[in-house]
């Protein structure tokens, strides 16, 4: 049975690009008599708002993209993510990082030739990886805030399939993964209980998702997701990354494009049918 999902973050109103993504997941499931799930990725307390979650469900309903219940709301599953984080820390695959942005910037400025990750950001230089367990314990006991980072080198050594790690991309076949280019990626931020990467892989597993459909902008992250799945013994889904919708200037649609929200289009009198036909 094919199981797909649409997994928006409720940080604003859905725009045409989100609707296209939801439509892709919905169509793939429905065409095969499968299940289409909705997941609200509201793990970032600073950016997500419940009213956007409600608006997302209203907009999808209006489009006729009905999902199979229940809706999974990530903020209701924090204990599950914490258990995964604890397990990785116990296996010495994750460590607390006390660095501030300024600490990291200073460290990078002092080092020659800092490598960059897939998103263009400079990789974490590993400052807190080498702290002794007693220093870690003392700083935590003193109330110092910390993020949890993956120890990438330890993770690669421990992953059963690495370096022969790959995923199946619809229409392309096997794609080889190079998760090392992410460095010691953050798994839980100081101000958010768990990262997107951790929650998305965990939830796709527990929800039994068999085909992940999402925008091509997230394709590079799949290398890291495969590593996390491999470390945790989670069976990988197949992937189908789709093109991103762009505006007339060729820029990908974003939350700043207020005129492209489903809300605004509906208010202008555009019908749900006209929107779906545009995707067809
Ligand atoms: N929550 C992510 C976003 O809104 C999408 C997650 C995914 O499809 O993997 O960009």
């Amino acid at each position: 049975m094919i199981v797909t999902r649409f997994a928006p973050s409720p940080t604003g109103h859905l725009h045409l690009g989100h609707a296209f993504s939801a439509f892709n997941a919905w169509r793939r499931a429905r065409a095969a008599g499968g299940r289409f799930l909705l997941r609200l990725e509201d793990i970032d307390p600073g950016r997500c708002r419940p009213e956007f979650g409600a608006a997302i469900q209203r907009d999808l309903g209006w489009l006729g993209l009905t999902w199979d219940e229940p809706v999974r709301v990530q903020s209701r599953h924090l204990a599950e993510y914490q258990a995964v984080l604890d397990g990785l820390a116990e296996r010495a695959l994750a460590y607390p990082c006390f660095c501030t942005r300024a600490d990291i910037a200073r460290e990078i400025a002092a080092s020659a030739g800092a490598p960059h990750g897939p998103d263009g950001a400079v990789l974490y230089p590993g400052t807190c990886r080498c702290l002794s367990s007693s220093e870690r314990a003392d700083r935590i006991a003193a109330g110092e805030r910390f993020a949890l980072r993956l120890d990438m080198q330890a993770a690669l050594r421990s992953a059963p399939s690495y370096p022969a790690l790959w995923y199946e991309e619809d229409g392309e076949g096997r794609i080889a993964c190079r998760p090392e280019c992410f460095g010691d990626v953050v798994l839980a931020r100081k101000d958010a209980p768990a990262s997107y990467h951790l929650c998305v892989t965990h939830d796709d597993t527990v929800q039994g998702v068999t085909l992940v459909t999402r925008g091509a902008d997230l394709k590079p992250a799949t290398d890291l997701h495969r590593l996390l799945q491999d470390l945790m013994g989670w069976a990988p889904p197949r992937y189908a990354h789709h093109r991103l919708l762009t505006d007339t200037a060729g820029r990908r649609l974003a939350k700043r494009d207020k005129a492209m929200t489903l809300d605004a289009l509906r208010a202008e009198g555009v019908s749900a049918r006209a929107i779906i036909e545009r995707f067809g």
Side-chain angles (χ1 to χ4, degrees):
M1 148 108 65
I2 181 166
V3 182
T4 66
R5 54 37 168 208
F6 175 52
S9 300
T11 57
H13 289 284
L14 292 187
H15 58 57
L16 220 47
H18 298 114
F20 180 58
S21 201
F23 173 72
N24 268 292
W26 176 87
R27 178 173 55 180
R28 294 298 296 267
R30 295 294 180 241
R35 287 162 55 76
F36 167 60
L37 307 175
L38 174 62
R39 182 165 75 227
L40 297 176
E41 301 208 324
D42 63 341
I43 212 72
D44 185 341
R47 295 177 61 232
C48 299
R49 300 224 303 262
E51 58 269 33
F52 289 132
I56 286 170
Q57 295 181 60
R58 187 195 62 217
D59 285 346
L60 290 177
W62 175 70
L63 283 172
L65 305 182
T66 49
W67 57 90
D68 292 281
E69 296 286 349
V71 175
R72 185 173 171 96
V73 181
Q74 287 190 328
S75 58
R76 297 183 190 151
H77 297 273
L78 301 187
E80 293 169 51
Y81 309 131
Q82 192 57 52
V84 178
L85 292 167
D86 290 346
L88 289 169
E90 272 160 31
R91 292 162 65 192
L93 300 179
Y95 62 86
C97 170
F98 303 93
C99 291
T100 60
R101 277 173 208 266
D103 293 334
I104 297 174
R106 237 188 338 266
E107 186 88 13
I108 289 167
S111 67
H116 292 68
D119 59 357
V122 181
L123 296 187
Y124 177 63
T127 322
C128 287
R129 193 192 310 124
C130 310
L131 298 182
S132 67
S133 43
S134 61
E135 181 172 353
R136 281 178 185 156
D138 288 350
R139 291 175 76 167
I140 293 172
E144 223 183 297
R145 296 174 69 217
F146 60 94
L148 204 69
R149 288 184 180 273
L150 185 69
D151 182 333
M152 180 56 80
Q153 289 308 319
L156 296 176
R157 282 193 299 274
S158 171
S161 308
Y162 185 82
L165 193 63
W166 51 270
Y167 62 92
E168 186 79 28
E169 174 75 17
D170 228 48
E172 287 181 40
R174 287 186 182 190
I175 309 274
C177 297
R178 290 287 158 260
E180 55 273 24
C181 61
F182 282 86
D184 287 2
V185 71
V186 170
L187 297 178
R189 286 194 345 223
K190 284 182 181 176
D191 60 350
S195 73
Y196 156 66
H197 302 300
L198 185 102
C199 300
V200 82
T201 44
H202 174 272
D203 286 1
D204 284 338
T205 303
V206 300
Q207 291 191 283
V209 172
T210 61
L211 177 69
V212 168
T213 62
R214 60 184 176 197
D217 54 330
L218 291 171
K219 196 172 181 190
T222 309
D223 289 28
L224 177 60
H225 298 175
R226 280 294 296 117
L227 175 64
L228 294 174
Q229 290 158 351
D230 202 47
L231 287 172
M232 300 307 298
W234 295 333
R238 282 189 302 124
Y239 290 86
H241 294 94
H242 59 74
R243 70 186 167 91
L244 300 176
L245 292 194
T246 51
D247 61 16
T248 44
R251 291 180 317 170
R252 67 179 266 223
L253 299 182
K255 291 201 167 114
R256 59 168 187 271
D257 301 307
K258 296 276 183 282
M260 287 298 179
T261 64
L262 297 178
D263 239 12
L265 293 167
R266 187 166 50 230
E268 261 177 41
V270 177
S271 71
R273 194 195 167 107
I275 291 174
I276 297 289
E277 275 171 6
R278 187 173 158 168
F279 300 153

